[in-house]
């Protein structure tokens, strides 16, 4: 082999390894996540079966996000120092235990333990999927798109299988079946690289300090798309077609995952070709327009626009973080971005629940669209200022 051939083969080998590691991490999370997704559907409907009140069910559904907000920094340090294999093996084992807990435990304290365990497990796997997708700069946006598509197959499959099993055998049996799926996450986690990336090269910004423009965009996206939109679609559907509200809202929410499966690779390819920053800005502004359409009264047209455009934009933030935070600073930056996303997604339902009954929908969704659009423009301006 000539020197030129050897030098050309090295980047190709690095890209192939990055593709393989990203795929294994994504498959591990895809098998681990269905139990959590199904809980959002079944716990409110069968809370008596699980031995909790409806208010306690709401607390349980929020608990995993709360522990992630508090624990992302610690999980990111563990991942960087001990490596993706150990982090994801522990996380896959945690997801198995939590899903099995949904099948067997009753009462607030047992289920709360399972939810906290899942929250930390998801944090580790979420960091791993994004970090491994962006570890090799070449093809990072493309890998990120494929990563989102693979992960989204888990929740969709879990919703379909779990709903059918629950209908005929009850919710406990549905989670028992999904525990078998969670077991399959472990062998994929075992295939991940062992070495960590080491401590960050510089001190990271405090997670609750002044956010960067991208952190601010992540918070607003979580608040508007993962918070207001998810809760609001159920409320507005109930008002629009009360006899089919559950089916319509459930279909719209399931379409979120289907959009990631179908459009995630396309979003990654667009970012690869035209630039992550440019596509994040354009797609976020377009998504904001979809929120404005909902506020104008065209509920289903706006909902489809938001779901489709959200599917395109999902793979883009991680490659952009990798560009802005090269080397060992990438992992803590990804954790910080996820923390702000969870903060927004936690605040969104609270604000929506308080404001939807008292504010005109046009005003509320118009304000959400404005915030999302302005934050996206601010992200886009950064490049021109450098």
């Amino acid at each position: 082999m000539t020197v030129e051939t050897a030098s050309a083969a090295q980047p190709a080998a690095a890209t192939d390894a990055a593709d393989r590691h990203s795929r294994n991490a994504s498959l591990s999370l895809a098998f681990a996540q269905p139990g959590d997704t199904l809980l959002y559907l079944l716990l409110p409907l069968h809370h008596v079966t699980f031995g909790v009140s409806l208010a306690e069910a709401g607390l349980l559904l929020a608990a995993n996000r709360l522990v992630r907000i508090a624990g992302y920094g610690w999980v990111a340090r563990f991942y960087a120092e001990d490596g993706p294999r150990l982090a994801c093996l522990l996380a896959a084992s945690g997801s198995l235990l939590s899903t099995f807990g949904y099948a067997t435990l009753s009462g607030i304290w047992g289920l709360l333990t399972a939810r906290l365990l899942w929250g930390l497990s998801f944090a580790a796997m979420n960091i791993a999927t994004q970090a491994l997708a962006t570890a090799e700069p070449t093809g990072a946006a493309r890998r990120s798109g494929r990563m989102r598509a693979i992960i989204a197959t888990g929740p969709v499959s879990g919703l379909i299988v779990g709903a059918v099993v629950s209908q005929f055998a009850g919710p406990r049996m549905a989670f028992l079946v999904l525990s078998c799926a969670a077991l399959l996450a472990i062998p994929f986690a075992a295939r991940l690289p062992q070495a960590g990336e080491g401590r960050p090269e510089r001190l990271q910004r405090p997670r609750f300090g002044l956010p960067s423009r991208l952190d601010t965009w992540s918070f607003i996206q979580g608040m508007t798309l993962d918070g207001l939109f998810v809760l609001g679609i159920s409320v507005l559907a109930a008002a629009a077609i009360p006899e089919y509200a559950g089916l319509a809202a459930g279909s719209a929410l399931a379409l979120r995952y289907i959009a990631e499966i179908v459009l995630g690779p396309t979003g990654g390819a667009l970012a690869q070709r035209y630039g992550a920053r440019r596509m994040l800005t354009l797609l976020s502004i377009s998504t904001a327009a979809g929120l404005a359409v909902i506020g104008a009264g065209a509920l289903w047209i706006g909902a489809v626009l938001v779901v489709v455009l959200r599917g395109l934009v999902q793979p883009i933030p991680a490659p952009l973080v990798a560009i802005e935070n090269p080397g060992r600073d990438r992992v803590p930056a990804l954790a910080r971005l996820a923390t702000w996303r969870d903060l927004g997604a936690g605040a969104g339902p609270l604000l929506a629940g308080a404001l939807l009954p008292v504010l005109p929908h046009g005003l509320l969704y118009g304000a959400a669209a404005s915030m999302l659009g302005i934050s996206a423009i601010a992200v886009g301006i950064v490049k021109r200022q450098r």
Side-chain angles (χ1 to χ4, degrees):
M1 181 181 293
T2 65
V3 175
E4 291 79 4
T5 304
S7 62
Q10 289 176 358
T15 301
D16 290 343
D19 289 346
R20 184 173 63 256
H21 297 327
S22 176
R23 182 171 60 251
N24 286 331
S26 301
L27 286 168
S28 185
L29 181 52
F31 281 112
Q33 194 172 5
D36 170 74
T37 306
L38 186 64
L39 194 71
Y40 283 86
L41 176 65
L42 296 185
L43 184 60
L45 295 176
H46 302 282
H47 62 91
V48 175
T49 302
F50 291 94
V52 297
S53 66
L54 189 58
E56 289 172 334
L59 173 63
L60 289 170
L61 293 179
N64 66 309
R65 195 178 298 275
L66 296 176
V67 76
R68 291 207 306 265
I69 292 171
Y72 255 123
W74 177 81
V75 172
R77 288 192 296 272
F78 182 89
Y79 174 92
E81 295 179 11
D82 293 274
R85 182 186 300 175
L86 180 58
C88 288
L89 279 173
L90 292 174
S93 301
S95 71
L96 172 61
L97 291 174
S98 64
T99 306
F100 187 71
Y102 305 152
T104 57
L105 298 175
S106 294
I108 181 66
W109 295 113
L111 291 172
L112 181 61
T113 301
R115 293 301 285 160
L116 296 178
L117 180 61
W118 164 249
L120 292 176
S121 299
F122 177 82
M125 301 178 94
N126 187 37
I127 290 173
T129 53
Q130 297 186 62
L132 291 170
T134 57
E136 169 60 36
T138 302
R142 171 184 55 81
R143 277 192 300 277
S144 186
R146 291 181 181 178
M147 173 262 290
R148 295 303 316 180
I150 292 172
I151 293 172
T153 60
V156 169
S157 303
L159 284 171
I160 295 172
V161 173
V164 172
V165 174
S166 177
Q167 181 68 33
F168 294 100
R172 298 287 194 176
M173 182 58 66
F175 287 113
L176 192 60
V177 170
L178 293 188
S179 296
C180 298
L183 184 63
L184 298 176
I186 295 177
F188 290 104
R191 298 177 185 176
L192 296 176
Q194 184 173 0
E197 301 188 20
R199 290 181 178 271
E201 294 173 355
R202 64 176 184 268
L203 291 176
Q204 58 176 308
R205 180 189 300 109
R207 288 180 295 121
F208 301 105
L210 186 65
S212 69
R213 297 187 186 195
L214 189 57
D215 293 335
T216 301
W217 170 87
S218 184
F219 173 84
I220 293 175
Q221 192 204 30
M223 183 174 63
T224 56
L225 301 186
D226 295 338
L228 172 63
F229 175 73
V230 170
L231 181 64
I233 197 71
S234 299
V235 174
L236 297 180
I241 43 173
E243 63 274 20
Y244 298 108
L247 179 61
S251 299
L253 296 180
L255 185 59
R256 294 169 59 206
Y257 297 110
I258 296 174
E260 290 187 30
I261 296 172
V262 175
L263 299 174
T266 301
L270 289 171
Q272 190 78 36
R273 180 171 182 179
Y274 298 107
R277 188 184 303 278
R278 177 183 300 174
M279 293 312 304
L280 183 142
T281 300
L282 291 176
L283 291 173
S284 295
I285 292 173
S286 302
T287 308
L291 290 173
V293 169
I294 294 176
L299 172 60
W300 301 116
I301 294 175
V304 170
L305 283 173
V306 169
V307 166
V308 169
L309 292 164
R310 180 185 178 277
L312 286 171
V313 81
Q314 280 292 90
I316 300 178
L320 185 54
V321 168
I323 293 171
E324 293 188 343
N325 301 271
R328 295 178 181 177
D329 296 311
R330 188 179 80 264
V331 171
L334 288 169
R336 190 170 62 243
L337 189 77
T339 300
W340 283 105
R341 176 77 173 262
D342 277 344
L343 283 169
L350 297 177
L351 291 174
L355 298 179
L356 273 170
V358 298
L359 287 183
H361 295 159
L363 177 60
L364 180 58
Y365 280 88
S370 298
M371 288 190 295
L372 182 59
I374 291 171
S375 68
I377 292 171
V379 172
I381 290 174
V382 173
K383 186 176 182 180
R384 290 192 290 269
Q385 286 181 336
R386 290 181 176 179

